[in-house]
Amino acid sequence: MSSPTTEKAPQLTRVLRLPAIVLFGLTYMSPVAVFTTYGIVNDETGGHLPAAYVLALGVMLLTAHSYGRMVRSYPAAGSAYKYAQKSFGGHIGFLTGWTLMLDYLFLPMVSFLLAGIYLHAEFPGVPQGVWSVGALLLVLVFNVLGVKFISRITAIVMGITGLLLAFFVIVGGSKSQVGAGDAFQAFIPASDQWGLLAGGAAILALSFLGFDAVSTLAEEAHNPRRTVPLGIILTTAIGGGLFILVAWIGSLVRPDNQFTNSDSAGAELMETVGGNALSGAFTAVYVLGCIGSAMVSQASVSRIIFSMGRDGLLPKRVFGRLHPKFGTPVGALIAVSAVAVLSVVLTLDQAVVMINFGALAAFSMVNLSVIKHYLFGADRELGPRSLIVNGLLPGLGFATTVWLWTSLTGTTFVVGLLWMAAGLVILAITTRFFTRQPPELHMDAGDKDDIALTAEDGTPDSPETVGAR
């Protein structure tokens, strides 16, 4: 019987089951977000927004499958960072996590910015920045209280959002302006429009970051090898289905796609369906959705930063510790909130251009990680089923993700490459110009996977249990 030889690393607590995990992911995806880019992507795709969502969903399901495969082997906080680290080593793992953080750090900021914009429009006497900072502080407090508290809030947010979307679909479907023969035209692009669809799908890919957020909860989920992969697939499929349904109903109600302003097309669409009353309700639910999305996105990125801090890749005293009472990564949460304060000075266009690069780059690495781990790793599986599940599917996921990645704007690439360069500098300093490997977490001596924090029933592993493995 062996016992740990090093100090036990900080542990997150397993409190989440499958329904809470799926609600967390769906709240992150924020189904009302379809209205944020409704006019923009409709213009980009020549009125084929539903088709762009179908394309994005197909690509994301392949990548969601790869996330699920990696969670089965490494049910730990850290998401794409942890998977790339385990499959390709610490250097690639750090750069993958660093690149993904570009999106995660700015997503809460975008949510606070949108909440401030909508609330300022309703209450012009209060400056937009005051609304944004107020929402930021509220979200920070909720996150410090813990993920179990957040799961209760997400249930309320999704319940209210579901009621709004149900009303929109039912009433909007009854106000269709097209005949039965043309009802599905928005799903059928012309042969020369596939490039436009790829560009639209690349923008929409960010809407699916909810499944990556689910993977960051692996250390806080009961039976993570089963619940987290299933939660990832369910989050992606349900969220994508809602996006497609709402976009399709919109194409029936306003088939001309002629809106006063592309940025406000969602609000105009709501007014067409339900008048001023539904438009007002939409504003309230949209702000609530922004706060909910910011809450779970901040929770997710804080887990990635915590994982990297715990590994020693970021200052451990600040980012690698948990609050003694609430068991939450407070240092990481405060850092994310500090970045989000930029919502006071940046415009929406400036903020949006900073995101998407990191997500698609990280998705690509997760697909490659599956191939490397299951086909070329120490525990490789080379049977026919494995070649399909661990080779063909992630290979398609990688190829289609890269295809979307190349459809991003030049400005997005400039911002993304500059961010990667900054990460490379940090990595060079940390590793003394690549003369040593980045530090890697070994949570319990004797644990062959180095990631089993607690037993699957939620009970912390004892030294005897760990040693017995």
Side-chain angles (χ1 to χ4, degrees), residues 39-40 43 258-266 268:
I40 297 171
D43 291 344
Q258 299 300 312
F259 296 99
T260 305
N261 188 327
S262 293
D263 292 339
S264 61
E268 290 184 45

Side-chain angles (χ1 to χ4, degrees), residues 354-436:
M354 298 180 183
I355 52 182
N356 257 6
F357 179 94
L360 292 175
F363 292 170
S364 300
M365 286 305 305
V366 173
N367 283 303
L368 290 180
S369 294
V370 175
I371 297 172
K372 172 66 165 58
H373 177 72
Y374 286 102
L375 299 186
F376 300 98
D379 300 324
R380 59 182 176 272
E381 307 170 10
L382 298 178
R385 180 180 180 278
S386 179
L387 291 176
I388 295 174
V389 173
N390 302 316
L392 178 61
L393 292 180
L396 288 173
F398 172 75
T400 51
T401 300
V402 170
W403 179 43
L404 295 185
W405 198 39
T406 58
S407 302
L408 296 173
T409 66
T411 305
T412 302
F413 265 98
V414 170
V415 173
L417 291 174
L418 287 174
W419 179 262
M420 287 187 69
L424 196 61
V425 170
I426 292 174
L427 184 61
I429 295 172
T430 304
T431 60
R432 298 186 180 179
F433 291 94
F434 310 104
T435 58
R436 60 173 61 182

Side-chain angles (χ1 to χ4, degrees), residues 183-228:
F184 296 97
Q185 282 300 309
F187 291 98
I188 308 172
S191 58
D192 60 347
Q193 290 183 314
W194 282 97
L196 297 178
L197 282 188
I203 297 172
L204 300 176
L206 189 64
S207 303
F208 290 86
L209 255 183
F211 69 74
D212 183 274
V214 169
S215 73
T216 67
L217 301 175
E219 289 185 25
E220 294 162 279
H222 290 284
N223 194 6
R225 287 184 173 88
R226 185 187 70 83
T227 57
V228 174

Side-chain angles (χ1 to χ4, degrees), residues 135-165:
L136 183 156
L137 293 174
L138 181 67
V139 166
L140 175 60
V141 171
F142 285 171
N143 267 299
V144 169
L145 292 176
V147 71
K148 190 171 184 178
F149 179 82
I150 291 175
S151 70
R152 296 169 182 154
I153 302 297
T154 58
I156 296 172
V157 172
M158 283 308 302
I160 296 173
T161 301
L163 289 174
L164 176 73
L165 293 181

Side-chain angles (χ1 to χ4, degrees), residues 284-307:
V285 174
Y286 188 86
V287 170
L288 184 64
C290 286
I291 293 174
S293 181
M295 183 172 59
V296 295
S297 61
Q298 186 183 80
S300 297
V301 71
S302 68
R303 269 69 180 165
I304 296 175
I305 294 173
F306 165 68
S307 181

